[in-house]
Amino acid sequence: MVFVPRFAVPAVFALAAALHAQTAFFPMKDIKPGLRGIGKTVFSGNRIEEFQVEVLGVLENIGPKQNLILARLSGGPLAETGVLQGMSGSPVYIDGKLAGAVALAFPFAKEAITGIRPIEEMVRVTDAGSGSPPTQMARNELSLASLFAAKDLTRLLPGRQDLAAGNAKLLDIATPVSFAGFTRATLDQFAPQLRVLGLEPTQGLSAGGPSSTRMGDPSALKPGSMISVQLMTGDLSIGADGTVTYIDGNRIYAFGHRFLAVGSTALPFTRSEVLALLPVMSASFKISAPKEMMGAILQDRNTAVAGELGRVAAMAPISISVSRGGKRMDTYQMQMVNDRFLSPLLVQMAVFNTIDATERTVGASSFRVTGEIEFQGSAAPLKVNNMYAADTGSAMIASLSTAIPVAYVLQSGFDALEVKKVALDIESFDAKKQYQIDSVYTGRREVRAGEKVELTTLLVGENGAELARKIEYQVPLGITPGPLYFTVADGMTTNLTEFRQIIGAQPRSISQLISTVNSLRANTKAYVRVWRPEPAFQLEGEDFPDPPPSVALILAGSQGALGGITQTRNSKVAELEVGAGDSVISGSKTVQVEVKE
C-alpha cells in the first residue's frame, strides 16, 4: 500500500485550479468584426483539432441578458460538412482567451456560419439554483385528463430556439442522440417529437452504452473533447452528444445551448469518441460512441449544460419482460436517468420498442401490461394493470397509456418522488381482444325496497362474437321511491365520472396522488354505477351522496373558497363489476327502473 501525504490531495486540486485559472475570458464588450481566432473540437477518435474562426459581428439582446457572436468557421472538414451536429460547445479562443462556444447554425447553409455563445453567459448557469425553468404548460394545468388528451409527453418541454437573422433562421445546433438497441420504427415514431425539441435521433453503432461504469480519468477530458449524456444504458441505450467548452476545477460547461431545458437534474455523461463524420445537405453530424463514465450534468439551462467531474448520477433500473401464451419470450434490462420530465418519455420509448422488437405491430393485436413503479422512500408503488387492443398502432397506445400515469406522478410537484425501480410485464395476443357494450336491460321495470334487480349486459366482439353477463343488485331497504339508474361503462368513462375532481386538478399529498392513480379502474371490466338524480358532492375524491339540505348548502358555498369540492348532478348508490376475461371493454349504456312504495 502506497502512503500518500495528507497535504498531497489539496495540493493536486490547488494545482488543477491554478492551471484552469490561466484560461482567461475574452470580454464580450471587446468583440468586433474582423477579429480572428481558433476553435477546438474532435473530428476523429478523441484527438482535439483546431479550426479557424472569423468574427462577422455581434447579435445583441437576443434574449434576457443574452448576446451572440456571429462568425465564419473554416479548416479541417468544415468546408465540406458545414457546422456539424455534435460541435455544440466547441470552444472558441481569441488572442488565447476563451470567448465562447459554437452553439447555433443556419440550416442548409452553404458556408459554416455559426452563432457563438459568450462564455460569460455559459458560466452563469451554475448560479441558477435548484428550481426548474418555465415550461410550456403551467403546473396548475397538469392533470391526467390533459396528459391523455395531449398524447405527447414532450409537450411540457420548450421547443428548439430560433433567431431571425435576415431572411434566415439561426437555430440551436441540433443535438445528435444515438439510440442503440432500438428498432427503426421506434426512431421513426418518436423522431418528430424529438426534432421539435432540438434533438436529432440516429441509429447507434455501439451496443449497451458506455463500456465501463467506472469513473474515468478526469484529465482525459479537455476543452474540445466530446461527451455523451447518457439517458439510458443497458440492453437499450440512449446518448446525446456534445462538446466540452470549459473546465473549472471539477466543474464542466458544455453545449453552449440547452439540452432539454429541464433545469436542475442529474444526468450521467461519458467521454465519447468520434467514429465518423457524415456530411448531409440539411445538417452534417458526428457519429460517436460513448466510453467511460466521467461525471454528471447537474444544470440544463438555455445557455449551457453544466455539471461535475467524478459526480455519480443515480439511475433507476428498468426491467421489461415479454410473454406470449404464458411463455416468456424475452427480457430487457436497462438503467434510466431519474428526471421528472425525461423518465416518463424513456419508459414510453422502452415499452414501444420492446413491443415492436418482439411482436407484430401491423394488424389486429392486443397487449396486457402489468407491473409496478417503485419510488424512493416510503411512497407506495404505482400499480400498472391494463390491456390494449387495436387493429393497428396498439404498441403506441400501450406505451403511451403506461407512461402517462408515471408522468402525472413525477410532474405533480413533489420533489421527494424519485423512481427507484420499474418492473413491467407485457403479454401479447395475436388478436383484437375487445368487447363493446352493446345493450343493457333489466328483468323488471318496477321494483320495491329490498327486492333484487337482475341486470344483463350484452357485449359484442370481433367476428360477431357475443358475450352476455348477468349480475344481481338488491335495492336497499328504506330507499325513497323514484327513478333508479344503472350505468354500465368502461374503465375510462367510469374514471372520468368518479374522479372528475381529482383527474382535473392537482393532488395535495403524495399518498393522495399515488392512491388516486392506483384507484383508477382497469379497462378489462365494465363498471355498473347505480345512481339517483339527486345532488351529491366530491371532496378530494371522496363521495358525499345526497347530503342533508343544510350540509349541501355549506358544501356548495365552499366550492370557490376551498377548490377541492365538486358538486355533481347525481348521487352514487353502489358500484358493481362486470368481467370479460382477457379483453378490453369499451362503451357505455344506461337503463332505468322505478322504485315503488
Side-chain angles (χ1 to χ4, degrees):
M1 180 176 178
V2 179
F3 175 76
V4 179
R6 295 179 61 184
F7 60 81
V9 174
V12 169
F13 281 105
L15 177 59
L19 290 174
H20 288 299
Q22 295 173 7
T23 305
F25 294 166
F26 194 95
M28 183 65 193
K29 62 182 179 60
D30 294 338
I31 296 290
K32 294 178 177 59
L35 287 175
R36 294 181 178 272
I38 63 166
K40 294 183 178 183
T41 199
V42 175
F43 294 124
S44 177
N46 58 6
R47 185 175 72 257
I48 298 173
E49 300 181 49
E50 294 185 356
F51 56 90
Q52 284 67 53
V53 180
E54 178 190 358
V55 175
L56 302 177
V58 174
L59 299 177
E60 297 182 343
N61 298 320
I62 60 168
K65 296 184 178 180
Q66 293 182 25
N67 304 284
L68 275 181
I69 305 167
L70 195 64
R72 178 184 288 111
L73 310 183
S74 59
L78 296 178
E80 180 182 357
T81 64
V83 180
L84 290 152
Q85 294 176 1
M87 281 186 70
S88 294
S90 298
V92 171
Y93 301 86
I94 299 175
D95 293 337
K97 298 177 181 178
L98 181 60
V102 173
L104 294 89
F106 292 98
F108 302 100
K110 294 183 178 180
E111 286 190 88
I113 306 295
T114 188
I116 297 171
R117 182 79 63 185
I119 186 61
E120 297 101 316
E121 297 176 12
M122 294 181 62
V123 296
R124 285 203 299 260
V125 300
T126 52
D127 300 323
S130 59
S132 298
T135 60
Q136 290 184 337
M137 177 189 288
R139 275 300 170 83
N140 58 11
E141 297 177 19
L142 177 68
S143 66
L144 273 175
S146 67
L147 287 170
F148 274 110
K151 299 180 181 179
D152 182 359
L153 295 181
T154 66
R155 71 175 185 145
L156 284 179
L157 298 169
R160 187 180 183 184
Q161 291 187 330
D162 62 75
L163 301 171
N167 295 325
K169 284 187 176 180
L170 191 60
L171 301 173
D172 285 348
I173 299 172
T175 302
V177 182
S178 175
F179 288 77
F182 285 82
T183 64
R184 184 71 244 177
T186 304
L187 270 65
D188 292 342
Q189 183 68 50
F190 290 94
Q193 298 175 43
L194 298 176
R195 289 190 178 113
V196 169
L197 300 178
L199 309 179
E200 184 59 41
T202 63
Q203 196 78 51
L205 298 183
S206 61
S211 58
S212 173
T213 57
R214 290 184 177 181
M215 285 292 166
D217 181 1
S219 66
L221 278 187
K222 297 177 177 61
S225 296
M226 284 283 293
I227 61 171
S228 180
V229 180
Q230 296 294 294
L231 304 182
M232 182 177 285
T233 62
D235 292 334
L236 306 177
S237 67
I238 305 175
D241 296 332
T243 302
V244 177
T245 306
Y246 177 55
I247 301 175
D248 182 14
N250 67 336
R251 288 184 295 180
I252 183 172
Y253 302 85
F255 283 33
H257 56 68
R258 62 175 180 76
F259 169 41
L260 286 169
V262 294
S264 296
T265 186
L267 310 177
F269 70 88
T270 69
R271 182 178 65 83
S272 188
E273 291 188 358
V274 177
L275 304 178
L277 305 180
L278 186 60
V280 179
M281 284 295 296
S282 58
S284 303
F285 59 93
K286 298 179 181 182
I287 300 174
S288 63
K291 296 302 178 181
E292 69 275 18
M293 287 287 181
M294 300 300 295
I297 297 299
L298 305 179
Q299 293 287 342
D300 176 14
R301 304 284 171 171
N302 279 340
T303 59
V305 300
E308 291 183 11
L309 291 166
R311 178 76 168 262
V312 177
M315 301 183 78
I318 306 181
S319 174
I320 303 178
S321 64
V322 185
S323 62
R324 189 187 311 119
K327 181 181 179 181
R328 180 164 292 186
M329 307 300 295
D330 220 333
T331 300
Y332 297 83
Q333 303 287 347
M334 291 81 66
Q335 300 271 336
M336 73 170 180
V337 297
N338 215 324
D339 184 273
R340 60 185 174 276
F341 296 110
L342 299 178
S343 297
L345 179 62
L346 295 173
V347 169
Q348 182 190 2
M349 289 193 289
V351 171
F352 182 95
N353 185 80
T354 300
I355 294 174
D356 186 72
T358 57
E359 303 299 331
R360 73 174 191 177
T361 55
V362 177
S365 59
S366 304
F367 300 98
R368 177 192 290 278
V369 183
T370 58
E372 286 187 348
I373 291 91
E374 298 179 23
F375 300 94
Q376 300 289 353
S378 57
L382 183 66
K383 304 289 186 180
V384 178
N385 183 13
N386 259 321
M387 194 159 182
Y388 311 94
D391 291 315
T392 186
S394 51
M396 177 52 70
I397 297 171
S399 63
L400 181 63
S401 299
T402 301
I404 280 177
V406 182
Y408 175 63
V409 169
L410 291 179
Q411 295 167 16
S412 290
F414 299 101
D415 293 338
L417 276 174
E418 291 187 0
V419 178
K420 179 181 179 182
K421 179 182 179 182
V422 178
L424 299 173
D425 295 302
I426 301 173
E427 186 177 4
S428 70
F429 305 88
D430 288 336
K432 185 181 178 182
K433 298 173 71 64
Q434 182 172 1
Y435 283 99
Q436 181 78 22
I437 299 173
D438 182 72
S439 60
V440 177
Y441 54 91
T442 60
R444 54 200 302 185
R445 292 290 184 176
E446 296 181 355
V447 68
R448 287 179 170 79
E451 294 182 341
K452 292 183 178 180
V453 177
E454 185 179 79
L455 190 73
T456 302
T457 301
L458 180 63
L459 305 173
V460 177
E462 293 290 295
N463 300 315
E466 291 186 351
L467 187 64
R469 287 288 185 261
K470 294 183 178 182
I471 58 171
E472 287 187 341
Y473 171 72
Q474 186 167 9
V475 179
L477 294 171
I479 192 172
T480 58
L484 183 66
Y485 294 89
F486 297 84
T487 296
V488 184
D490 56 51
M492 177 64 76
T493 303
T494 305
N495 288 331
L496 291 173
T497 301
E498 294 293 307
F499 293 96
R500 62 171 61 88
Q501 183 255 335
I502 291 295
I503 289 176
Q506 291 241 323
R508 300 191 175 189
S509 67
I510 291 177
S511 59
Q512 184 199 47
L513 171 67
I514 302 294
S515 175
T516 296
V517 179
N518 285 341
S519 297
L520 295 176
R521 276 72 169 176
N523 61 1
T524 53
K525 296 179 181 179
Y527 300 87
V528 183
R529 191 174 193 268
V530 187
W531 58 279
R532 309 204 74 177
E534 298 167 344
F537 293 86
Q538 275 192 351
L539 177 58
E540 296 188 0
E542 296 295 327
D543 285 308
F544 292 87
D546 193 20
S550 58
V551 176
L553 186 63
I554 294 172
L555 292 173
S558 302
Q559 290 184 80
L562 297 181
I565 300 176
T566 300
Q567 186 172 3
T568 62
R569 296 182 178 180
N570 57 70
S571 177
K572 186 174 76 171
V573 178
E575 183 177 305
L576 307 170
E577 294 182 358
V578 176
D582 288 329
S583 296
V584 177
I585 296 180
S586 60
S588 176
K589 298 290 181 181
T590 299
V591 68
Q592 171 191 345
V593 299
E594 191 72 21
V595 178
K596 296 292 186 178
E597 292 185 0

